[in-house]
Amino acid sequence: MDSLKTKPEVMRFFIFLTTLIFCQFLSSQNLNYPSFLIDKSLKEDANAVVRHNEISININSIDELVVEKRRVVTVLNKQGDDYVNAREWYDDSEKITAIQAVIYDQLGNEINKIKQNDFKDVSAVSGGTMYSDSRVLYLEYTPVSYPYTVEFIVETKTKNTGFITPWQFLDGYYVSTEKSRYTISYASPDLKPVIKEKNLENSTVVKTNTENSITYEATNLKAIKYEELAPSFIQISPQIHPRMVNFNYEGFQGTINNWQEVGSWMYANHIADKDELPLPTISLIKALTASATSDLEKAKIIYKYVQDNTRYISVQVGIGGIQPISAIEVDRVKYGDCKGLTNYTKALLKEVGVTSYYAHVESGDTKVSFETDFPDLWAGDHAILAIPYENKLYWIDCTSQVHPFGFIGDFTDGRQVLLIKPEGGELATTPAYLNGDNYQKTEGKYSISDDNIVHGQVTILTKGIQYDNHFRIKDKTPDDIVKYYKSIWSYINNLNIDTYTFENDIDTVVFRENIAITADNYATKSGDRLLFSPNFFNKNVFVPKRYRNRQFPLEIQRGYVDEDEITIQLPLDYTIEAIPDAIDILSDFGTYTLSFKVSEDKKSILYTRKLFIKEGTYPKESYESYRNFRKEVAQNDSSKIVLIKK
């Protein structure tokens, strides 16, 4: 009788047989990207995994650019649907020469193939755009289960070589990358782009150069988790930004080695000779400014004229994506986009002898500056105007119908921008609203009656970015105004907004809100005692989220100062039993002070408070200290006074 196999031998045989059967199964099914083959580490903190993301950019000549893309994404859950990104933009200058998509189930079985005619074809702009030739083909797919995988392939061709697509090796938060490859090929040395690398130091990105190409390749990049008060994703993720030195854009060729040359090309080809105005408008503008005693006063009058007589409508047809429509056309139709309205205002100012400079800026509440060492046509998505006067630049956003002259708010503040002058480009910095510039003063009083009803009046004065956050309330409907105050004072029970008035001083850029309120049962009753928080009008209980292992620096983009002075009239039948101690906190991130002064007759309390949060970027190790500081602020803002019945 043959001897029996030992248990280990049986197990090895079983594993071999199982593996063989599984491999034959995969082969027979012709599977593509089954989700179970994704490395476990790439699924951690990920809603989607980019399995393969490849772009090949072929600069065949100064006026021929061919781009080939292949993207494969496995979506793990509903939150990952947004990262399929099976879409491509096109217009009269950029054509889609091929496009298709394939959808696979979690095992890698093909379940659907989408050809070009099956893609949705829609305008690529919102309803706020009146004219645009920009369109987008996109895949509309509703998954029946997760995970699923989408393979997307597209090729485009354009004569414009001035804008080369930048590349991020990670799509965003909670998305990992299995493989990413970016290749630029160029037909001759004069077409070789300049590439700026960002945040590649601690990544797996590998760069390879050949005689006529540059390739970047990355593998197994783990998903990044979002962290509160961290720099923006674009500031921390690995990426590359190419730019052309010699290029063609809509038939205009150019060479750019510095910002001066960027400005020269822009001015000569897209801004010069677009400032003609009709004679009646010139006469009107000169009459409006006839009594002005300075160029600055003239500029204010013309800015007000533009605000009152034009409106913003996006115009992005052909070269309109970079070139403003003419001033005479804006004057005729009374609307324009940021480029057209900026150029129109510039033309009006010129007619009354006021110099101004057209400027490109990267807009948004996150501050993004033009980089001194990287002159690039790609930089900027908005146009504003700079007016020099007595060695100072005054900035206006000509698309805004509400902002005061010289105040640009948090949309374009505190960043480096490009002034486009006849003699060329020049970098300049827009006004930064720092710390104490962003000021709020809350002054008022409130009384608590014996039956626990509060009557209060308060004036809130704001400046800087705090002005920007408040002044638009004056244009809301009465219902929305009441909802607004009930939202910011949501901690007040049974709140009624009795009256309100607003004062908007556009000369000093100061906004005042005068509000009268009543509230029932604000204080908490406990036997013969009443407990209430003295901070009635400006309670700040924000505490940043806790992280056991913080990964990124702490960034406070804009500091501010809040000062409060409130008189509290106590109920007649009660006296003070307990009152919080005065507080004075000094930290690296700001300060907090709190004090109480009881009147001689014990009938009222003067409550004073000051909170200063300091702008800055701090190392990640400081985050917990900042959190503790904000925790102390929140605790003291919620501290209570105890009254006892006489």
Side-chain angles (χ1 to χ4, degrees):
M1 183 176 178
D2 294 337
S3 61
L4 295 174
K5 288 184 171 67
T6 63
K7 286 185 178 180
E9 290 174 324
V10 171
M11 288 300 297
R12 282 195 294 270
F13 177 75
F14 177 76
I15 292 171
F16 169 76
L17 185 61
T18 303
T19 303
L20 180 63
I21 293 171
F22 181 67
C23 291
Q24 288 176 336
F25 169 77
L26 291 180
S27 176
S28 65
Q29 295 296 306
N30 191 28
L31 301 182
N32 291 276
Y33 296 101
S35 60
F36 53 77
L37 293 183
I38 299 172
D39 189 272
K40 182 180 178 181
S41 66
L42 296 180
K43 293 182 179 180
E44 292 178 6
D45 303 317
N47 296 320
V49 181
V50 178
R51 312 292 298 278
H52 188 101
N53 200 10
E54 183 168 6
I55 184 169
S56 178
I57 298 171
N58 304 289
I59 308 165
N60 298 327
S61 67
I62 199 168
D63 59 359
E64 183 177 296
L65 178 69
V66 176
V67 179
E68 300 163 297
K69 300 177 186 177
R70 178 170 176 262
R71 176 182 174 86
V72 183
V73 180
T74 295
V75 179
L76 303 178
N77 53 50
K78 186 172 179 59
Q79 288 71 35
D81 286 339
D82 290 341
Y83 294 98
V84 169
N85 286 340
R87 63 176 71 94
E88 187 63 39
W89 284 262
Y90 71 96
D91 54 30
D92 290 344
S93 299
E94 183 167 349
K95 305 298 182 184
I96 297 174
T97 55
I99 188 170
Q100 69 172 45
V102 182
I103 300 171
Y104 306 96
D105 65 15
Q106 61 181 324
L107 295 176
N109 295 306
E110 181 182 314
I111 56 176
N112 199 1
K113 180 173 282 188
I114 295 90
K115 298 180 180 179
Q116 182 159 343
N117 290 339
D118 300 321
F119 282 80
K120 296 290 184 182
D121 187 350
V122 297
S123 172
V125 295
S126 66
T129 300
M130 182 163 288
Y131 299 122
S132 176
D133 60 353
S134 183
R135 300 189 65 80
V136 61
L137 287 180
Y138 74 95
L139 168 65
E140 185 176 68
Y141 174 69
T142 302
V144 295
S145 64
Y146 297 91
Y148 67 94
T149 298
V150 176
E151 180 181 22
F152 176 63
I153 299 172
V154 65
E155 180 179 293
T156 61
K157 185 176 182 180
T158 180
K159 292 182 178 181
N160 294 331
T161 54
F163 301 101
I164 305 294
T165 306
W167 192 249
Q168 290 189 202
F169 295 94
L170 284 169
D171 279 24
Y173 293 112
Y174 305 109
V175 183
S176 60
T177 296
E178 198 168 56
K179 183 177 180 180
S180 179
R181 182 182 174 90
Y182 182 91
T183 300
I184 295 183
S185 302
Y186 42 92
S188 58
D190 61 304
L191 296 177
K192 182 179 180 179
V194 177
I195 297 179
K196 182 147 195 173
E197 302 170 353
K198 296 184 178 182
N199 307 316
L200 301 190
E201 301 82 11
N202 300 315
S203 70
T204 63
V205 178
V206 176
K207 178 182 179 182
T208 305
N209 289 294
T210 68
E211 186 178 352
N212 64 344
S213 71
I214 306 168
T215 298
Y216 290 84
E217 190 164 356
T219 56
N220 298 325
L221 298 176
K222 295 181 181 179
I224 295 176
K225 292 175 67 175
Y226 171 79
E227 291 182 344
E228 252 186 298
L229 297 171
S232 65
F233 186 81
I234 198 73
Q235 292 174 282
I236 59 180
S237 64
Q239 60 201 267
I240 53 175
H241 290 254
R243 70 169 184 86
M244 294 292 286
V245 176
N246 302 298
F247 63 91
N248 173 74
Y249 184 76
E250 298 293 346
F252 297 93
Q253 295 191 2
T255 297
I256 288 176
N257 294 290
N258 50 56
W259 286 111
Q260 192 275 335
E261 292 179 348
V262 175
S264 291
W265 182 84
M266 283 290 301
Y267 188 87
N269 295 305
H270 304 299
I271 295 175
D273 303 324
K274 293 207 169 286
D275 54 5
E276 182 184 354
L277 290 166
L279 290 176
T281 299
I282 295 172
S283 298
L284 173 62
I285 289 299
K286 288 183 175 180
L288 287 174
T289 58
S291 60
T293 58
S294 68
D295 283 354
L296 190 63
E297 188 179 353
K298 290 179 183 178
K300 290 180 179 180
I301 293 168
I302 287 177
Y303 180 58
K304 182 70 165 58
Y305 173 82
V306 172
Q307 287 183 310
D308 291 344
N309 290 277
T310 64
R311 60 194 175 99
Y312 172 81
I313 291 289
S314 182
V315 180
Q316 299 175 23
V317 178
I319 202 166
I322 192 172
Q323 184 182 91
I325 59 176
S326 66
I328 200 168
E329 180 65 10
V330 173
D331 188 81
R332 183 183 70 83
V333 298
K334 303 303 180 189
Y335 60 74
D337 62 3
C338 63
K339 302 178 295 295
L341 292 175
T342 299
N343 181 66
Y344 178 59
T345 308
K346 179 177 174 292
L348 293 172
L349 290 167
K350 180 183 175 183
E351 291 298 335
V352 294
V354 178
T355 299
S356 61
Y357 305 127
Y358 188 100
H360 268 185
V361 58
E362 188 71 28
S363 63
D365 57 5
T366 297
K367 300 175 185 177
V368 179
S369 285
F370 285 20
E371 298 175 86
T372 304
D373 62 346
F374 196 69
D376 185 15
L377 280 181
W378 187 273
D381 62 1
H382 190 52
I384 56 178
L385 199 64
I387 302 165
Y389 181 73
E390 293 186 349
N391 300 316
K392 178 181 176 181
L393 287 176
Y394 290 82
W395 301 83
I396 54 176
D397 187 329
C398 304
T399 66
S400 173
Q401 294 179 305
V402 294
H403 282 95
F405 179 89
F407 180 76
I408 53 177
D410 63 5
F411 194 55
T412 54
D413 66 319
R415 64 203 75 188
Q416 200 161 238
V417 306
L418 179 66
L419 299 180
I420 300 172
K421 301 180 177 182
E423 61 270 25
E426 178 186 321
L427 294 181
T429 302
T430 57
Y433 305 103
L434 302 173
N435 300 326
D437 296 335
N438 307 316
Y439 178 74
Q440 176 175 298
K441 177 73 172 183
T442 303
E443 285 186 290
K445 61 183 180 180
Y446 66 90
S447 62
I448 304 177
S449 66
D450 289 330
D451 52 359
N452 201 9
I453 296 175
V454 172
H455 295 272
Q457 299 87 38
V458 66
T459 295
I460 303 170
L461 177 150
T462 47
K463 300 178 181 180
I465 299 305
Q466 299 228 54
Y467 169 92
D468 205 23
N469 295 337
H470 281 245
F471 83 99
R472 291 178 182 84
I473 189 177
K474 65 182 175 58
D475 299 319
K476 292 180 179 288
T477 65
D479 284 347
D480 285 340
I481 290 172
V482 170
K483 287 177 184 176
Y484 167 77
Y485 286 119
K486 286 190 173 183
S487 173
I488 64 170
W489 291 326
S490 59
Y491 50 84
I492 301 175
N493 296 326
N494 306 308
L495 175 67
N496 290 305
I497 308 301
D498 298 330
T499 63
Y500 53 81
T501 61
F502 305 120
E503 303 167 45
N504 186 27
D505 189 332
I506 62 173
D507 293 322
T508 60
V509 193
V510 172
F511 187 63
R512 284 181 178 83
E513 304 159 64
N514 305 297
I515 310 107
I517 62 91
T518 54
D520 298 339
N521 299 316
Y522 175 64
T524 301
K525 280 192 174 184
S526 178
D528 288 338
R529 291 173 173 81
L530 283 180
L531 293 81
F532 69 95
S533 173
N535 191 340
F536 191 85
F537 291 111
N538 193 20
K539 187 180 293 187
N540 191 325
V541 294
F542 168 71
V543 178
K545 185 178 178 181
R546 188 175 191 174
Y547 297 98
R548 294 187 181 277
N549 184 23
R550 177 81 177 185
Q551 297 296 310
F552 300 110
L554 161 68
E555 183 177 80
I556 302 172
Q557 281 239 336
R558 294 173 184 85
Y560 63 89
V561 172
D562 280 4
E563 285 190 314
D564 306 334
E565 190 172 296
I566 305 296
T567 299
I568 307 165
Q569 195 72 36
L570 303 177
L572 295 176
D573 291 344
Y574 287 80
T575 188
I576 300 169
E577 182 181 54
I579 194 166
D581 294 330
I583 297 292
D584 192 350
I585 304 171
L586 176 64
S587 81
D588 292 337
F589 319 101
T591 59
Y592 178 81
T593 59
L594 181 65
S595 66
F596 303 87
K597 184 178 179 180
V598 181
S599 64
E600 290 185 10
D601 60 8
K602 312 289 187 180
K603 292 181 179 179
S604 66
I605 301 170
L606 179 63
Y607 168 88
T608 58
R609 168 188 178 272
K610 183 176 181 180
L611 173 62
F612 163 44
I613 299 296
K614 184 165 63 175
E615 175 181 326
T617 301
Y618 306 87
K620 64 181 182 180
E621 292 78 12
S622 297
Y623 180 82
E624 190 61 26
S625 296
Y626 177 69
R627 186 175 181 276
N628 289 335
F629 171 59
R630 294 308 299 256
K631 196 172 180 180
E632 284 190 271
V633 171
Q635 288 170 345
N636 283 285
D637 267 11
S638 299
S639 63
K640 292 190 178 347
I641 291 174
V642 181
L643 306 179
I644 189 166
K645 203 161 191 177
K646 294 178 182 178

